[in-house]
Amino acid sequence: MESRVLTTRGPTISGIPRLARINNSNNALPATRINAGEGGNLVWGRQLRPSLLLNHHDHSPMVVISTTSTKRGDLLKPCAASDSAGDAAPVGFLAKYPWLVTGFFFFMWYFLNVIFNILNKKIYNYFPYPYFVSVIHLAVGAVYCLGSWTVGLPKRAPMDSNLLKLLIPVAVCHALGHVTSNVSFAAVAVSFTHTIKALEPFFNAAASQFILGQSIPITLWLSLAPVVLGVSMASLTELSFNWLGFISAMISNISFTYRSIYSKKAMTDMDSTNLYAYITIIALFVCIPPAIILEGPQLLKHGFNDAIAKVGLTKFLSDLFWVGMFYHLYNQLATNTLERVAPLTHAVGNVLKRVFVIGFSIIVFGNKISTQTAIGTSIAIAGVAMYSLIKAKIEEEKRNLKSA
């Protein structure tokens, strides 16, 4: 289709503008059909550069005439009228008060995390098989994801071989970190495991500095000093201390650090819900072989029978199902909450979550802790809070500089 762009120029006769033809060979983009809503200024059948909508010399308005033989109704394509303010749809209650939705996300994140940690430890008190329980966590999450995809909530994102290669290292580190965390939970008090896991920011900073080659500000390193000091104090006098629990928690820290590194290399446009679903499914296949090899014979010999004898078959199966569901949902809500708030807010929330988990686990299980352990834990948590706040502030300043 050919279009001619004419502009008013020069004197007019009886109010009728004199039309002058402009050579559009260099000014018009190739013919295309693009919706006006995509930001282009459209002339029927052709999109023009925005600068052409005004005459460069006298800024007179332009007249567009189509010279091709088309139907009469196609000669002019009027723009869709915008809705008036009076026709606007009423704002819903949740849209009017978004802080209520965000507050609900935080509450459910904390609630599910605390319930998971308590129920998980109760299971280990009568069924001390962390490799098998880790598989159950991921298996329940995988079934949940497959069910969600089946009903289209959310719609499953496509997967290709290139993306799969990028996600496999992330999922392997996720699986290793998850299993070793559970080994620690089974071996020592929940509060002590979470105190050790407070060292995770230290490993993240070290990996960023020495593996990724990023420069870490001295303020961040200084904020990590109380974390190391507090964890050391808590470990020396922890009544439930054993080396299996301590080393497993440390391996978990290292694994999740490498998960963060590989996640940065596997940046994708996929939404967080689908991304976590794929990582869960891949991690499940990673965890199954060691669970069969290390715990399979014991489970078949007496593990299942002992657990059923202690709590009954119904409660045993119910506990395994719900601990897996709580695990998946709290991780998913943590990701969704991060998408709703600024990194600074999420950092504060993450620190408070750890405080809630440690506090509630001590109350529920009646764990006795020494004064030095309590002080060390408090110092470590305070150090994590300082690190998180400083790091979030630095990240926010970087984003502001990029957007400026």
Side-chain angles (χ1 to χ4, degrees):
M1 179 186 296
E2 178 187 0
S3 295
R4 293 183 182 177
V5 182
L6 303 177
T7 179
T8 61
R9 182 175 295 180
T12 60
I13 302 176
S14 300
I16 300 176
R18 197 176 101 188
L19 301 179
R21 181 172 179 175
I22 297 178
N23 184 2
N24 62 359
S25 60
N26 295 324
N27 292 330
L29 296 176
T32 183
R33 290 289 299 275
I34 303 177
N35 294 329
E38 295 178 359
N41 298 293
L42 296 187
V43 177
W44 179 239
R46 199 172 289 250
Q47 185 183 23
L48 300 182
R49 296 187 181 94
S51 59
L52 296 180
L53 295 180
L54 290 178
N55 187 309
H56 291 292
H57 301 290
D58 55 12
H59 302 285
S60 8
M62 302 182 73
V63 180
V64 178
I65 299 178
S66 176
T67 60
T68 57
S69 58
T70 59
K71 294 181 181 180
R72 182 179 183 87
D74 289 340
L75 287 176
L76 297 177
K77 293 290 181 180
C79 298
S82 59
D83 295 335
S84 62
D87 297 335
V91 178
F93 179 79
L94 294 179
K96 190 175 181 180
Y97 301 101
W99 60 271
L100 287 176
V101 180
T102 303
F104 174 76
F105 270 79
F106 269 101
F107 171 77
M108 292 304 298
W109 176 24
Y110 284 20
F111 174 77
L112 293 173
N113 192 287
V114 170
I115 295 299
F116 162 75
N117 279 276
I118 292 174
L119 180 57
N120 202 45
K121 185 61 178 178
K122 285 185 175 181
I123 291 174
Y124 288 136
N125 287 340
Y126 68 83
F127 187 70
Y129 297 94
Y131 288 88
F132 178 79
V133 174
S134 298
V135 169
I136 294 298
H137 293 163
L138 297 172
V140 173
V143 172
Y144 177 89
C145 294
L146 293 174
S148 299
W149 282 339
T150 301
V151 299
L153 295 173
K155 184 178 179 181
R156 187 180 71 85
M159 171 66 68
D160 56 38
S161 58
N162 292 328
L163 182 57
L164 182 62
K165 291 177 182 177
L166 292 175
L167 291 184
I168 285 177
V170 180
V172 170
C173 292
H174 178 73
L176 181 59
H178 177 55
V179 169
T180 50
S181 292
N182 279 281
V183 171
S184 182
F185 284 137
V188 297
V190 173
S191 57
F192 181 60
T193 298
H194 278 280
T195 302
I196 301 300
K197 288 175 70 65
L199 279 173
E200 190 174 327
F202 175 82
F203 288 98
N204 284 332
S208 298
Q209 178 87 51
F210 302 111
I211 297 178
L212 298 179
Q214 299 175 354
S215 178
I216 303 299
I218 188 63
T219 52
L220 274 182
W221 283 115
L222 292 175
S223 68
L224 289 171
V227 180
V228 177
L229 174 63
V231 171
S232 300
M233 290 178 60
S235 301
L236 290 174
T237 56
E238 171 60 36
L239 299 178
S240 69
F241 179 89
N242 66 55
W243 284 107
L244 176 62
F246 178 82
I247 294 174
S248 297
M250 295 294 283
I251 294 175
S252 174
N253 285 334
I254 297 172
S255 300
F256 285 135
T257 296
Y258 274 94
R259 183 186 66 177
S260 299
I261 293 174
Y262 285 119
S263 295
K264 292 176 182 178
K265 295 180 179 179
M267 294 299 290
T268 174
D269 293 333
M270 188 183 296
D271 64 280
S272 61
T273 302
N274 272 292
L275 190 62
Y276 185 66
Y278 280 119
I279 291 174
T280 297
I281 294 172
I282 299 171
L284 171 62
F285 288 101
V286 175
C287 289
I288 289 176
I292 295 175
I293 295 171
L294 297 176
E295 295 180 344
Q298 300 177 40
L299 288 171
L300 294 176
K301 185 176 180 180
H302 56 78
F304 291 127
N305 292 331
D306 290 349
I308 294 172
K310 290 178 181 177
V311 298
L313 178 61
T314 301
K315 178 171 174 55
F316 178 53
L317 295 178
S318 175
D319 284 352
L320 291 178
F321 169 77
W322 283 114
V323 77
M325 185 63 70
F326 289 142
Y327 171 77
H328 181 82
L329 291 179
Y330 101 73
N331 276 286
Q332 187 60 66
L333 276 170
T335 304
N336 296 144
T337 304
L338 177 59
E339 293 178 338
R340 296 187 61 87
V341 298
L344 184 62
T345 305
H346 193 270
V348 174
N350 201 34
V351 173
L352 292 177
K353 177 214 71 176
R354 198 173 295 279
V355 173
F356 270 86
V357 171
I358 292 174
F360 274 100
S361 67
I362 292 174
I363 294 173
V364 171
F365 295 107
N367 296 333
K368 295 181 179 180
I369 59 174
S370 65
T371 302
Q372 182 173 325
T373 298
I375 295 174
T377 301
S378 301
I379 293 175
I381 295 299
V384 172
M386 289 172 55
Y387 171 86
S388 301
L389 294 175
I390 295 172
K391 182 175 173 57
K393 187 176 181 180
I394 292 174
E395 293 294 332
E396 189 173 352
E397 290 175 352
K398 288 181 180 179
R399 279 192 302 274
N400 291 336
L401 288 177
K402 289 181 180 180
S403 61

